[in-house]
Amino acid sequence: MNDLTFFSAAVGQHSRRGRITAYGIDLGTTNSVVAKASWEPGNQLRCEVLEIDQPLFPAGSMTSPLVPSIVADLGNGSVLVGEGAKRLRTRPQDANLFPERNLFYETKNDMGLRKTYHRAAESFNHASKIAGHILGFLKDAVNQQVGDAVADFCVTVPASFQLNQRRDTLRACQYAGIDLEDEDLLDEPTTALIDYFMTEGTPDTFKTGKINRCVVFDFGGGTCDVAVMEITADRATKQLQINQLAVSRYHRLGGGDLDAAIVYNHLIPRLCEENGIDLLDLKWAEKKRGLEPQLRGTAEALKEALCKQIDRLKRFNKYDHADKKSIEVRQPGLTVYLGQRTLTLSRPSLNADQWEKILEPFFDEDILYARETEYYLVQSILAPLQDALERAGKKPKDIDFCLMVGGSSLIPQVREKVDQFFHKAAIGFFQDPMDIQLSVARGAAWSRLYKAMTGKNLVQPVLHDGLALVTAGDRLLPIVPAHTPLPYPKDNKWGQVELVAAGNRRLDVDRLQFKVVTEREHQVIFHQVWKIPGSVSTGSEIIMEYRITGGKQFQCRAFLRDDPQTVFEHTEENPFVNVVNPNQIRLLIEEKEEELKQKNPASPDNTYDYVQIAKWCAELKQYERALDWLRLALKNLGKPDAEILNLQALYFRELGNLERAEKFYREADQATPHWDGPLFNLTLLYLHQARHQEALQTIEDAIKKGGEDGPNLTLKARCLERAGVDAQKCHAIYRQAVKAYGRLETMPDWELGWYAAAVKSLGDEEALELANKEIARRKRKGKRILDTDAPLPGVKGGSLARRSG
């Protein structure tokens, strides 16, 4: 399958027509690219990436095919997009820039969210508007090079983008004056694969008419996307058919996390050491919002230079046994600004030993869940690979070919790890490292050219498994055949089945389950309960209509035949895609921050909101950031608050600042006449420091204040144990503590934990088992459980398919 195979029909149709040109835009998280594909009679098909002239600040310009997805609003109608804005990100003070006020980067991650940039001007206050500025800049650059207005564009999006994210992308196109429909948004993994086939050719294992199983591993600057596909080429039409088996998107896991690791593990500590600053004296905001943006460019340059050196050594088999500390790269010294302070980092450097240590958790084969540090995300790149394969029902050995794209795939160790994971598959990557970052735009241009020449899509999305409705008796009623081209049905119409309300004939039916599964694997695609207003009698006729859009949204609606106004409607966005967002708590924080923007942030009424954000930050182990929010909460409140002071003490302890932790526990205790919590926590602090006598005195003070409840007595017994008191006396207090606890189901979670500790110390296995069962029950609680008692519909006329089991 080469360009002649793909385009033979198109060339035949246009052999007597004039030149035709199409453009594809890769709107990336880190960089954006625009490519042009063209054909004219007598010449070969061509595809090239455009070099874009990008203004710098305060003057000058540079030309590159990579346009950083960064926008700077300089005021007075002056806007920088691309390299000029990227350089200002490292020195924002030069143009009085502030993140999310007049400097915007990595905003693609905010597409589809309600988040606004409230400090920004109207035309910059949402991610879609920032994307609009980037697209408009690229469009203007194309028009300037062509000398005429260009209309034939398409834009790429992650395959996992949901409806609201696709809508925001289309809105961005409108802001840029690019008129697109939803079908003009092409999936990034598919376009990368098309470009690989056109540029490098297809693997030897790929045969026309044969099902070829392929994985596209797209490890970019801000996300990690994995798509598992089955690919065939129609012998008659030469059109590619792609069955997308599974897509997993790990939101905000990307090369930027590696850059941040370099900043916080090496550059900031070295900066503090060189300038005589205690690392803990810097607040979270000073590091995250002040230093990180100024140091990210240096971190990225160190990473890229070191990876090139490692790659060269590996090619000559000189890396594995070399002294990793001696493999070192440097960047020029730089001056950074923190408020009124000027700081100098004279010799930023990174060696291979340090780099290997940074990479270790990103290659972990056992710990696949996300781990938050104070400032960046850590997660194994194997997590999205394994997740996508599991959802597709495949194993690494089932894969014929894996294509690696995205800027972070240039890291030699990443390529090696993926190669080891797919030990039997052919691994594809572009020989020219720049092509890795340009392939998505080129594939989009190829696709757009094919459609301009034929009126058809180069790639036809198909449903890899049939869909069936689960009906009464758990029988399956097929509704969409396997290998059906999408959208289904064609022309935006609806499929339809006639059902009846099933149930106990003596009772009316007030709710019905609608459950759609894949026929072969029984994967649940759609599962909702229709709560029918009032009720209907058993046997009432119901019409269910459904369709699958080209973007793979499953839409369903149902109504009573005798009462068409009683309607059930629901859309399942991209049910074949798994979007894993390891930053759910981050999104909660952003939503709460967005809510505060609409209020008066300085009002004491918002104190609880600040405390809640601080708690969420602590869940992410962002203790310094949490302390910043708590300081703001106390300032707004204007008086001491025991809960806030106690939380500050807890977070100082987590940071290892035990002196401040003790101080704030004491302050919290002084702020409350009745609550013994700060003294309880201070006792734990003393135990941690082996200050046993002080611990005993403090828990006695807590008991005087709060009484002889279960946790206080349990902690007292533990203090006596640590102080070497006779075991019999300690057990007597443990038994007293157990009697002081209430019923298991009424205990708060933290109290239940102390109860379990008490019965464990007494050796009461039966009580411990009951406590552990209650703990396990609470962990399960809160998961959404659908009303499975609601009856499934029957099929009108009684025609039933096979059982689902």
Side-chain angles (χ1 to χ4, degrees):
M1 290 186 287
N2 51 36
D3 58 347
L4 183 60
T5 304
F6 281 152
F7 281 85
S8 57
V11 170
Q13 290 179 32
H14 282 265
S15 59
R16 297 182 181 179
R17 301 183 188 179
R19 178 184 177 88
I20 186 165
T21 304
Y23 295 83
I25 296 177
D26 173 14
L27 180 63
T29 306
T30 306
N31 294 301
S32 294
V33 180
V34 58
K36 177 178 75 172
S38 61
W39 175 85
E40 59 183 325
N43 292 319
Q44 290 185 338
L45 296 158
R46 293 186 59 192
C47 187
E48 58 184 323
V49 174
L50 301 187
E51 297 275 346
I52 306 296
D53 191 51
Q54 303 168 53
L56 304 177
F57 179 87
S61 66
M62 73 157 288
T63 301
S64 171
L66 296 178
V67 178
S69 302
I70 303 178
V71 176
D73 175 16
L74 302 179
N76 298 319
S78 179
V79 179
L80 275 184
V81 176
E83 186 63 30
K86 179 181 178 180
R87 295 186 185 186
L88 281 175
R89 182 184 176 185
T90 65
R91 295 180 60 82
Q93 66 281 350
D94 289 357
N96 197 32
L97 298 178
F98 300 90
E100 297 188 0
R101 177 190 293 177
N102 49 13
L103 179 63
F104 309 91
Y105 47 87
E106 297 180 0
T107 56
K108 184 176 177 180
N109 289 326
D110 297 330
M111 295 286 266
L113 301 180
R114 291 180 298 169
K115 177 180 178 179
T116 60
Y117 310 129
H118 72 291
R119 299 182 300 166
E122 175 68 22
S123 59
F124 296 87
N125 65 1
H126 191 268
S128 61
K129 295 181 180 180
I130 302 304
H133 282 286
I134 297 168
L135 289 170
F137 176 77
L138 295 174
K139 175 192 170 188
D140 291 344
V142 170
N143 290 339
Q144 189 173 9
Q145 292 189 28
V146 174
D148 197 3
V150 173
D152 210 351
F153 285 98
C154 67
V155 175
T156 63
V157 293
S160 56
F161 255 26
Q162 303 294 306
L163 182 61
N164 54 347
Q165 294 165 305
R166 297 176 74 92
R167 282 176 178 166
D168 270 358
T169 305
L170 290 174
R171 192 173 290 119
C173 293
Q174 291 173 354
Y175 290 139
I178 300 173
D179 187 20
L180 297 185
E181 302 293 335
D182 186 63
E183 65 178 15
D184 298 317
L185 300 179
L186 305 181
D187 288 349
E188 290 168 2
T190 303
T191 57
L193 196 63
I194 289 169
D195 183 60
Y196 184 83
F197 290 163
M198 298 292 291
T199 306
E200 304 287 338
T202 54
D204 293 338
T205 56
F206 271 54
K207 305 293 182 185
T208 302
K210 171 183 177 289
I211 294 178
N212 306 278
R213 296 190 180 95
C214 176
V215 167
V216 177
F217 177 74
D218 185 356
F219 189 25
T223 58
C224 186
D225 290 2
V226 176
V228 184
M229 299 178 275
E230 288 183 344
I231 304 172
T232 57
D234 189 278
R235 293 181 185 274
T237 66
K238 307 301 181 186
Q239 189 177 29
L240 278 183
Q241 291 188 329
I242 293 186
N243 301 336
Q244 192 167 275
L245 303 183
V247 175
S248 282
R249 180 176 212 228
Y250 275 55
H251 191 50
R252 300 187 183 181
L253 167 63
D257 293 297
L258 299 172
D259 298 338
I262 295 171
V263 168
Y264 289 102
N265 292 340
H266 297 289
L267 298 186
I268 288 181
R270 199 170 301 167
L271 181 74
C272 289
E273 181 181 353
E274 189 170 331
N275 292 272
I277 299 172
D278 187 331
L279 194 59
L280 286 176
D281 285 341
L282 291 177
K283 297 183 177 65
W284 182 89
E286 290 177 317
K287 295 177 186 174
K288 186 67 179 177
R289 296 177 184 147
L291 294 179
E292 182 188 326
Q294 299 180 69
L295 295 172
R296 280 288 284 266
T298 298
E300 184 180 8
L302 288 169
K303 176 188 72 177
E304 291 176 355
L306 185 60
C307 285
K308 287 179 181 177
Q309 190 167 332
I310 291 172
D311 188 51
R312 185 171 60 252
L313 290 170
K314 282 182 174 290
R315 288 176 188 272
F316 292 98
N317 296 317
K318 293 184 177 181
Y319 179 75
D320 292 342
H321 300 293
D323 177 10
K324 303 298 187 294
K325 292 181 180 179
S326 68
I327 304 171
E328 186 177 65
V329 294
R330 298 184 181 277
Q331 285 294 304
L334 71 159
T335 301
V336 298
Y337 301 90
L338 195 59
Q340 300 300 315
R341 289 181 287 179
T342 301
L343 309 176
T344 301
L345 182 59
S346 58
R347 294 170 61 84
S349 64
L350 184 70
N351 64 51
D353 181 67
Q354 295 167 334
W355 179 233
E356 295 278 2
K357 287 183 172 63
I358 287 173
L359 290 175
E360 278 180 14
F362 291 92
F363 295 156
D364 201 307
E365 297 181 7
D366 300 313
I367 301 176
L368 301 181
Y369 53 82
R371 288 163 286 173
E372 291 277 357
T373 71
E374 185 83 19
Y375 300 97
Y376 59 92
L377 175 75
V378 174
Q379 185 163 30
S380 173
I381 64 169
L382 300 182
L385 283 169
Q386 292 196 8
D387 177 76
L389 289 176
E390 286 173 6
R391 286 178 58 81
K394 306 299 178 188
K395 298 183 181 299
K397 65 181 178 62
D398 298 325
I399 303 302
D400 300 308
F401 177 67
C402 173
L403 174 63
M404 297 183 65
V405 292
S408 299
S409 293
L410 292 169
I411 298 169
Q413 292 93 333
V414 170
R415 291 206 299 263
E416 286 183 353
K417 200 68 181 178
V418 174
D419 193 14
Q420 292 169 11
F421 185 81
F422 293 110
H423 56 282
K424 290 187 176 181
I427 304 296
F429 54 87
F430 293 89
Q431 296 303 314
D432 183 348
M434 180 61 78
D435 284 341
I436 290 182
Q437 301 178 76
L438 308 180
S439 63
V440 170
R442 284 197 308 239
W446 284 125
S447 299
R448 189 65 177 181
L449 179 65
Y450 185 91
K451 186 170 184 179
M453 296 173 73
T454 67
K456 298 186 296 184
N457 292 318
L458 176 57
V459 173
Q460 174 66 63
V462 255
L463 198 64
H464 76 282
D465 196 354
L467 298 186
L469 177 72
V470 183
T471 63
D474 283 337
R475 295 180 179 274
L476 298 183
L477 176 68
I479 57 174
V480 184
H483 308 296
T484 296
L486 299 180
Y488 177 85
K490 294 181 179 179
D491 303 324
N492 209 32
K493 294 180 179 178
W494 294 79
Q496 189 179 91
V497 291
E498 296 181 329
L499 307 170
V500 294
N504 189 324
R505 294 189 178 278
R506 297 180 181 178
L507 300 174
D508 287 342
V509 177
D510 60 359
R511 63 201 195 285
L512 277 178
Q513 284 190 70
F514 289 105
K515 184 177 182 181
V516 176
V517 299
T518 57
E519 285 193 282
R520 188 173 67 236
E521 300 168 1
H522 295 169
Q523 175 190 348
V524 176
I525 297 301
F526 179 91
H527 194 189
Q528 294 293 324
V529 171
W530 179 18
K531 294 182 179 178
I532 305 171
S535 60
V536 297
S537 59
T538 301
S540 296
E541 294 185 20
I542 296 166
I543 305 297
M544 174 184 152
E545 298 182 328
Y546 57 92
R547 65 186 178 191
I548 307 175
T549 68
K552 291 196 173 181
Q553 293 142 15
F554 183 86
Q555 299 176 347
C556 174
R557 64 189 187 193
F559 55 88
L560 301 174
R561 183 185 289 278
D562 294 337
D563 183 10
Q565 302 303 314
T566 301
V567 179
F568 163 80
E569 291 184 291
H570 190 82
T571 296
E572 199 71 33
E573 292 189 28
N574 230 343
F576 309 94
V577 171
N578 185 35
V579 181
V580 178
N581 187 352
N583 298 281
Q584 283 298 107
I585 295 176
R586 284 188 186 181
L587 290 179
L588 288 174
I589 293 171
E590 289 177 2
E591 287 176 2
K592 181 60 71 174
E593 288 176 335
E594 184 67 23
E595 182 184 317
L596 286 171
K597 292 171 191 174
Q598 312 305 322
K599 304 178 182 178
N600 175 14
S603 169
D605 294 338
N606 297 327
T607 300
Y608 175 77
D609 290 329
Y610 293 141
V611 173
Q612 180 59 68
I613 293 175
K615 290 178 178 178
W616 283 331
C617 290
E619 284 190 57
L620 299 178
K621 302 190 184 302
Q622 296 179 355
Y623 299 113
E624 293 180 16
R625 187 182 182 189
L627 286 166
D628 282 355
W629 280 104
L630 293 177
R631 290 187 190 101
L632 184 58
L634 278 180
K635 181 181 177 182
N636 271 14
L637 198 59
K639 61 181 180 180
D641 180 89
E643 181 191 6
I644 296 174
L645 291 164
N646 182 68
L647 286 173
Q648 286 179 296
L650 287 170
Y651 302 156
F652 275 123
R653 179 180 175 181
E654 291 292 344
L655 289 170
N657 194 328
L658 303 185
E659 184 178 344
R660 285 189 181 176
E662 181 176 356
K663 173 184 175 180
F664 276 85
Y665 281 137
R666 290 293 184 192
E667 288 291 327
D669 178 53
Q670 292 296 316
T672 174
H674 306 296
W675 184 38
D676 57 353
L679 290 174
F680 185 93
N681 292 329
L682 181 57
T683 302
L684 290 172
L685 179 67
Y686 287 149
L687 274 184
H688 174 74
Q689 297 175 287
R691 295 161 64 178
H692 299 128
Q693 291 306 314
E694 289 168 282
L696 275 170
Q697 181 57 56
T698 305
I699 193 59
E700 290 290 0
D701 292 341
I703 289 172
K704 288 178 185 177
K705 198 168 195 175
E708 292 187 330
D709 60 22
N712 278 341
L713 289 170
T714 302
L715 184 53
K716 179 180 177 179
R718 180 174 293 183
C719 290
L720 291 170
E721 281 181 330
R722 297 283 180 86
V725 174
D726 178 66
Q728 188 173 356
K729 182 177 180 181
C730 296
H731 278 213
I733 297 177
Y734 275 128
R735 284 192 290 271
Q736 184 184 356
V738 170
K739 292 178 181 178
Y741 286 101
R743 301 197 321 273
L744 287 179
E745 60 271 19
T746 64
M747 294 182 198
D749 290 348
W750 74 274
E751 188 174 321
L752 179 59
W754 281 101
Y755 172 81
V759 295
K760 183 178 181 180
S761 296
L762 289 172
D764 190 338
E765 297 295 334
E766 183 179 350
L768 180 60
E769 182 180 357
L770 291 173
N772 286 335
K773 283 183 178 179
E774 176 64 18
I775 292 170
R777 184 190 70 81
R778 295 185 187 190
K779 287 182 179 178
R780 292 193 301 270
K781 188 178 179 182
K783 293 184 179 179
R784 181 173 177 267
I785 300 174
L786 205 64
D787 180 11
T788 51
D789 290 334
L792 293 160
V795 179
K796 183 182 177 182
S799 120
L800 295 172
R802 65 183 181 279
R803 289 185 179 275
S804 63

